[in-house]
Amino acid sequence: MIRRYNTKDQNKIIQLFKLNVPMYFHPKEEMDLVHYLENEIEDYFVFENNNEILGAGGINYEYDNHTAIISWDFIHPLHHKKGIGSQLMQHRLEHIQSKKDLHSIRVRTTQLTYKFYEKMGFKLKEIQFDYWEKDFHLYLMTRSI
């Protein structure tokens, strides 16, 4: 089941994030996630099965630029490659498409996960090496709506 995030989920989301460190995220990013959940969240969703959160992902908006931004995606490592990420992304794409005046979607990811976004229709626009930390490169990708 995909549902909206609520503040009671925060500790579970942080634990889920930690399961993806250091494979997909640098440990220093935890504080950025906490800041996001407490201050920058706009639309955030969780994938839940049997009361366990197995995945999460958000959307932020730059309405002046007519752009939606995919934010803070991660899946429980034991459930990678089972379609949860694709379901969460499809849910968010449909949510974005229901909004007016948005023309593009942007995601900032790494060399570790950019292939997933390519499969979802995103195109690579820019690479910045060691952006977040050493060996955590920024892959900036976009997709038209």
Side-chain angles (χ1 to χ4, degrees), residues 2 20 38 50 52 61 81-82 97 103 110 114 119:
I2 297 174
N20 284 280
E38 292 177 355
N50 295 326
E52 182 181 2
Y61 304 96
K81 310 260 186 224
K82 295 183 179 178
Q97 290 169 346
H103 306 299
T110 68
Y114 83 98
K119 288 187 223 171

Side-chain angles (χ1 to χ4, degrees), residues 35-59:
H35 178 80
Y36 174 82
L37 293 173
E38 292 177 355
N39 301 289
E40 297 175 3
I41 206 165
E42 290 186 67
D43 285 324
Y44 203 70
F45 302 95
V46 299
F47 184 100
E48 189 175 60
N49 188 26
N50 295 326
N51 294 320
E52 182 181 2
I53 295 176
L54 302 178
I59 312 166

Side-chain angles (χ1 to χ4, degrees), residues 44-96:
Y44 203 70
F45 302 95
V46 299
F47 184 100
E48 189 175 60
N49 188 26
N50 295 326
N51 294 320
E52 182 181 2
I53 295 176
L54 302 178
I59 312 166
N60 288 76
Y61 304 96
E62 290 179 353
Y63 288 106
D64 291 350
N65 294 325
H66 307 284
T67 302
I69 303 157
I70 298 300
S71 307
W72 289 105
D73 293 16
F74 35 85
I75 306 299
H76 191 295
L78 296 178
H79 296 276
H80 286 182
K81 310 260 186 224
K82 295 183 179 178
I84 293 170
S86 296
Q87 288 179 57
L88 266 168
M89 180 59 72
Q90 188 59 41
H91 180 83
R92 287 179 290 162
L93 291 173
E94 291 169 7
H95 187 79
I96 290 166

